[in-house]
Amino acid sequence: MNRLLKFLSAWVSLIFFLIFFISDASSAPPTVEITSKPEWVVSPTHRYTKPSAKTVNNGFRYSLTEEQIHVEKKSVFNRVIRDILSEAGVQNGADISLSFDPTYEKVEFHQLTVWRDNKQINRLNKGVFKIVANEEELGNFLYHGRYTIWLVLNDIRKGDRIEYSYTITGSNPIFKNKFSRELYLQIYEPVAHCYVSLIASKSRSLNIKTFGSAPKPKITAVGDLKKYEWEMFDVPGELYEEYQPLWFNNLARVQVSEYKNWSDVIKWALEINPIPTRLNGKLLAR
């Protein structure tokens, strides 16, 4: 009898260990991969201009912001160069953060370089990244599943330039491979050089609308693909007014969508959340 109890106790302990191990592994935070930049990325020639003190906020300036989107590969490549121009810039411009959903997206970093006296200092290694769950509404029983990759570079000095690039691959399956996105050519900080491109199949019918000072796209054919490009220089930072309404957006930007009109959007939404047509009880009476 004692041998049977010991045997059963051992099996119960093993089962609990496996349950704990599996649940712990499944809840493990996502990781960041370090890879070379995608072959399809063709970056523009960056023309460095010396910043004027009048154009600088918070002690640093964006020398380059670059975003390249490949719709068919479901990939978005980003490259950023920041100039640290003062001690305030060391504090305000030395952190990097981005948000993603690991259920359908993965993040790959390609470069993290500090330029000092025209020499490269490679800071790219997995140990610098902190990945935390971005769950700010758990108190309201809302779970988003998004994570934030966050890092603060140490030993940053006045005169340094920080250059980094990464790619986020994946798209939310709820949109059923239909593309829509807002592309920003202006932010609340001054940018010396802004470049945005979008590559998509010629078979996709994209509706494009520009706002503010955003230019019309340059369109070129690349085999069975179309490439749309927007480029701006010496873009001033947009002033954010206190108590500005949330719906107000005065930034230079471009809306790109495969949806032709709001009827298309409504049709997509009703397929996901259909309105019940058979009612009963108090709801029917009301």
Side-chain angles (χ1 to χ4, degrees):
M1 186 70 176
N2 289 336
R3 292 180 61 184
L4 178 61
L5 289 174
K6 288 180 180 179
F7 177 77
L8 292 174
S9 177
W11 269 104
V12 170
S13 298
L14 178 61
I15 290 170
F16 272 105
F17 172 77
L18 290 173
I19 291 172
F20 174 80
F21 179 80
I22 293 170
S23 63
D24 186 62
S26 64
S27 62
T31 59
V32 177
E33 299 298 323
I34 296 176
T35 65
S36 301
K37 75 175 183 179
E39 294 181 356
W40 57 268
V41 171
V42 180
S43 292
T45 301
H46 174 47
R47 301 188 310 200
Y48 177 76
T49 57
K50 189 174 181 179
S52 166
K54 295 180 180 179
T55 65
V56 173
N57 295 330
N58 300 317
F60 74 95
R61 179 196 69 162
Y62 285 96
S63 181
L64 172 71
T65 60
E66 176 185 338
E67 181 180 46
Q68 300 196 44
I69 302 165
H70 199 304
V71 178
E72 311 313 322
K73 294 182 180 292
K74 298 180 173 63
S75 290
V76 181
F77 169 84
N78 281 274
R79 176 176 165 227
V80 175
I81 302 177
R82 293 178 186 165
D83 298 322
I84 306 300
L85 304 170
S86 70
E87 297 302 325
V90 173
Q91 180 178 354
N92 298 321
D95 65 300
I96 299 169
S97 65
L98 59 113
S99 178
F100 74 109
D101 191 328
T103 57
Y104 57 85
E105 292 177 321
K106 71 174 182 177
V107 179
E108 299 168 282
F109 258 81
H110 316 301
Q111 181 181 10
L112 179 55
T113 302
V114 175
W115 294 85
R116 182 175 296 161
D117 300 325
N118 293 321
K119 296 179 180 178
Q120 297 185 51
I121 305 172
N122 181 22
R123 296 287 189 88
L124 186 58
N125 65 77
K126 286 191 174 184
V128 301
F129 298 105
K130 306 297 182 185
I131 305 177
V132 294
N134 188 17
E135 299 300 342
E136 299 175 353
E137 296 188 79
L138 283 179
N140 296 323
F141 304 101
L142 295 175
Y143 176 71
H144 300 289
R146 297 191 68 82
Y147 281 76
T148 294
I149 297 173
W150 180 73
L151 65 97
V152 176
L153 293 171
N154 56 19
D155 189 28
I156 297 299
R157 308 173 190 177
K158 176 183 175 181
D160 286 351
R161 303 179 72 202
I162 301 170
E163 181 175 0
Y164 61 94
S165 64
Y166 62 90
T167 298
I168 299 179
T169 303
S171 64
N172 195 329
I174 201 170
F175 297 115
K176 300 180 180 179
N177 201 36
K178 210 155 192 176
F179 181 79
S180 64
R181 192 180 180 95
E182 201 155 31
L183 313 175
Y184 279 87
L185 295 150
Q186 184 182 29
I187 55 178
Y188 292 104
E189 301 287 345
V191 179
H193 182 186
C194 176
Y195 175 81
V196 176
S197 73
L198 187 148
I199 298 173
S201 170
K202 289 180 179 178
S203 63
R204 289 186 187 265
S205 178
L206 298 179
N207 301 287
I208 298 174
K209 186 177 181 180
T210 59
F211 296 85
S213 57
K216 299 295 183 184
K218 173 187 174 184
I219 304 174
T220 54
V222 186
D224 294 331
L225 303 170
K226 270 188 180 181
K227 187 173 186 178
Y228 305 79
E229 296 175 280
W230 296 264
E231 196 165 21
M232 293 178 68
F233 296 93
D234 298 321
V235 186
E238 178 63 25
L239 179 64
Y240 183 84
E241 299 285 354
E242 192 174 5
Y243 305 117
Q244 180 174 301
L246 293 175
W247 52 262
F248 180 76
N249 189 341
N250 202 35
L251 297 172
R253 65 195 191 281
V254 181
Q255 287 181 351
V256 183
S257 178
E258 283 189 86
Y259 297 100
K260 297 177 183 178
N261 46 48
W262 281 110
S263 295
D264 276 1
V265 178
I266 293 170
K267 181 180 177 182
W268 162 80
L270 288 177
E271 289 176 354
I272 298 168
N273 294 300
I275 298 174
T277 56
R278 299 183 65 181
L279 308 177
N280 52 48
K282 293 182 178 180
L283 182 60
L284 177 63
R286 187 170 182 86

